[in-house]
Amino acid sequence: MFSIDSKKLTEFAIIAGTAVSCYYLMTMPSPDAIGANFDKKAQAKSDHNVKRILEDNPDLANNLKNLNTYEKKILADVFIPNSKSTRFKDIAGIDDILEDLYENVIIPLQEFGVDKKQLNKDLKERFGHLVENGLLEAPKGVLLYGPPGTGKSLTAKAVATECNAAFINISISTLLSSYYGESSKLVKALFTVADRIKPCVIFIDEIDSVFKTRSDTDHEVTSKMKSEFLSLIDGLETDGGILMMGATNRRTDIDEAFLRRMPKQYKIGLPDKEAREKILSLYIQNIPLENGLSIKLIAENTSGFSGSDLKEICRNAINNMVKEYRKLPSSKHKDIRPLTAEDFGLTDMPFFLD
Ligand SMILES: Nc1ncnc2c1ncn2[C@@H]1O[C@H](COP(=O)(O)OP(=O)(O)OP(=O)(O)O)[C@@H](O)[C@H]1O
Ligand SMILES: [Mg+2]
């Protein structure tokens, strides 16, 4: 006779129950899951950004209605350029790259970016066919690559300011949220937010940390996020006023599929002597130097330094001088001393030419 073993039945029920719960936990994040990551501070920043965008562009009011939680989270990372934001004039020693970016990215983005109707009439009459083919439009993606501290992030930010575009600097860790299914929702939100507030530059720093050559060991969430990202880039209309920018120290490690979507690529290398002089001038042009010391001499003695290193030695030198100035009685405040080679740490260098 067929009989039911109650112990086995209980075991079966427990196993089935556990499997269903696991499946549910893996596939259905609780509606509050993102809420846990989206703290009050981020919420306030997001609301503040929406307010700022609307102050400058009241006609975007409709675009910024009915935002979902993921879009609100992305909006917390939006930067709206203001009069103090980094511009091209704040970057030295890479004039050729900035000029090329200006002509090939910024001007097309301004002319063809948001609304073709605004296109210069003369240009439209002469080159209308090229506009239709998309050949005069800005490239979809721009990659900046090179050693650390050479001004890649600075340049991406300045591109947004020069285009008067919003800047979304998204960190890979924000996108690679630990909740299953959440990463792709955030990636989608990144693109829908950019579309709502365009013109907009989406900047992904350290792209090699995610878009490195695909491997079988990729976590499922990472692979899904990557494919989602690539297909969303494909869906971008080049005349849509959204520009993707990426930066990396290791271009050779990046997935071919991603590189293909960043057709304009600029290598920003370590500055040569002339570029170092220009960077130093940017920071200490009007500051007196001791007899025998010049910007040229500092540039000659800082081979291998990045823009960031140069800024750092200028900062140290100025701090040394200001530290002493603070200790002086106010009657002596007018005697500001010039900066010395020692302030710049040059006397410690083996090749210091004096
Ligand atoms: N060419 C430059 N002109 C003026 N300042 C520069 C230049 N390059 C670097 N700097 C200074 O160094 C800082 C760091 O530069 P930035 O963060 O843009 O480097 P990066 O190339 O993005 O480095 P990483 O690869 O480490 O991210 C800048 O904020 C700026 O103050
Ligand atoms: Mg950077």
Side-chain angles (χ1 to χ4, degrees):
M1 248 279 283
F2 181 73
S3 73
I4 297 174
D5 181 338
S6 66
K7 197 169 159 238
K8 283 228 162 65
L9 193 64
T10 316
E11 276 174 12
F12 175 73
I14 292 171
I15 292 168
T18 313
V20 168
S21 313
C22 284
Y23 179 75
Y24 181 79
L25 279 175
M26 283 179 68
T27 57
M28 309 276 286
S30 89
D32 291 325
I34 187 150
N37 262 345
F38 192 46
D39 57 30
K40 279 202 176 115
K41 211 167 142 199
Q43 174 83 54
K45 204 167 162 217
S46 174
D47 294 345
H48 173 78
N49 277 344
V50 170
K51 227 166 124 188
R52 278 216 48 205
I53 296 169
L54 290 179
E55 271 165 21
D56 292 347
N57 309 282
D59 43 328
L60 286 183
N62 272 340
N63 295 15
L64 290 172
K65 274 185 187 151
N66 306 324
L67 296 161
N68 66 33
T69 319
Y70 299 93
E71 290 173 321
K72 285 184 185 161
K73 188 169 181 180
I74 296 288
L75 269 158
D77 284 326
V78 171
F79 175 78
I80 315 293
N82 57 39
S83 56
K84 291 188 198 126
S85 306
T86 305
R87 303 198 77 99
F88 278 5
K89 67 171 174 45
D90 305 312
I91 307 172
I94 53 167
D95 303 355
D96 294 356
I97 294 176
L98 299 184
E99 203 177 310
D100 202 284
L101 272 168
Y102 196 76
E103 282 170 3
N104 294 303
V105 179
I106 294 176
I107 291 187
L109 206 72
Q110 284 172 336
E111 279 179 343
F112 308 101
V114 188
D115 187 354
K116 278 189 193 167
K117 281 184 224 128
Q118 289 173 3
L119 195 62
N120 174 318
K121 194 166 163 271
D122 180 44
L123 210 67
K124 203 171 180 180
E125 271 170 22
R126 281 172 193 242
F127 301 112
H129 59 295
L130 295 179
V131 178
E132 294 311 318
N133 291 343
L135 293 181
L136 283 179
E137 286 166 9
K140 259 187 203 182
V142 175
L143 178 72
L144 305 172
Y145 65 98
T150 47
K152 299 181 293 300
S153 303
L154 194 69
T155 305
K157 209 166 186 180
V159 166
T161 315
E162 296 291 345
C163 302
N164 210 7
F167 184 68
I168 309 184
N169 184 355
I170 197 84
S171 75
I172 295 295
S173 57
T174 305
L175 290 181
L176 270 184
S177 170
S178 52
Y179 297 103
Y180 188 82
E182 201 167 284
S183 292
S184 52
K185 285 183 188 148
L186 275 172
V187 170
K188 266 194 205 126
L190 173 63
F191 285 81
T192 55
V193 166
D195 194 53
R196 283 170 183 263
I197 61 173
K198 64 194 180 185
C200 179
V201 172
I202 301 178
F203 179 54
I204 317 276
D205 212 349
E206 295 170 19
I207 45 177
D208 48 286
S209 61
V210 167
F211 288 97
K212 54 180 176 288
T213 311
R214 283 184 219 215
S215 80
D216 297 340
T217 56
D218 264 0
H219 189 281
E220 197 189 336
V221 175
T222 317
S223 323
K224 194 164 172 233
M225 196 272 273
K226 276 161 82 168
S227 335
E228 189 90 53
F229 210 102
L230 296 180
S231 67
L232 284 164
I233 299 180
D234 288 341
L236 281 181
E237 295 290 331
T238 41
D239 63 349
I242 300 174
L243 175 72
M244 284 284 312
M245 291 193 77
T248 179
N249 301 139
R250 293 191 296 260
R251 181 186 168 280
T252 44
D253 285 0
I254 299 175
D255 191 337
E256 271 301 318
F258 189 78
L259 283 182
R260 202 163 50 74
R261 289 163 173 89
M262 308 293 269
K264 203 92 188 118
Q265 302 186 359
Y266 297 94
K267 178 176 181 186
I268 307 191
L270 286 172
D272 60 13
K273 189 164 74 63
E274 202 185 319
R276 290 197 298 277
E277 262 189 75
K278 289 185 179 164
I279 298 174
L280 289 163
S281 302
L282 191 72
Y283 292 113
I284 51 164
Q285 192 161 35
N286 297 317
I287 300 184
L289 303 177
E290 71 175 334
N291 263 347
L293 184 66
S294 62
I295 287 184
K296 189 164 176 267
L297 190 67
I298 304 173
E300 275 163 6
N301 283 280
T302 43
S303 163
F305 278 48
S306 66
S308 164
D309 297 333
L310 293 170
K311 183 181 177 186
E312 200 50 30
I313 59 165
C314 292
R315 201 176 64 78
N316 279 338
I318 289 170
N319 270 335
N320 274 353
M321 183 265 284
V322 172
K323 251 190 309 196
E324 287 171 27
Y325 172 85
R326 283 199 196 103
K327 287 181 195 150
L328 287 177
S330 49
S331 57
K332 298 232 166 190
H333 271 185
K334 59 179 185 324
D335 307 328
I336 301 172
R337 74 158 174 82
L339 300 180
T340 64
E342 202 178 348
D343 288 327
F344 288 95
L346 295 186
T347 43
D348 299 336
M349 291 185 196
F351 310 110
F352 180 55
L353 313 165
D354 56 1

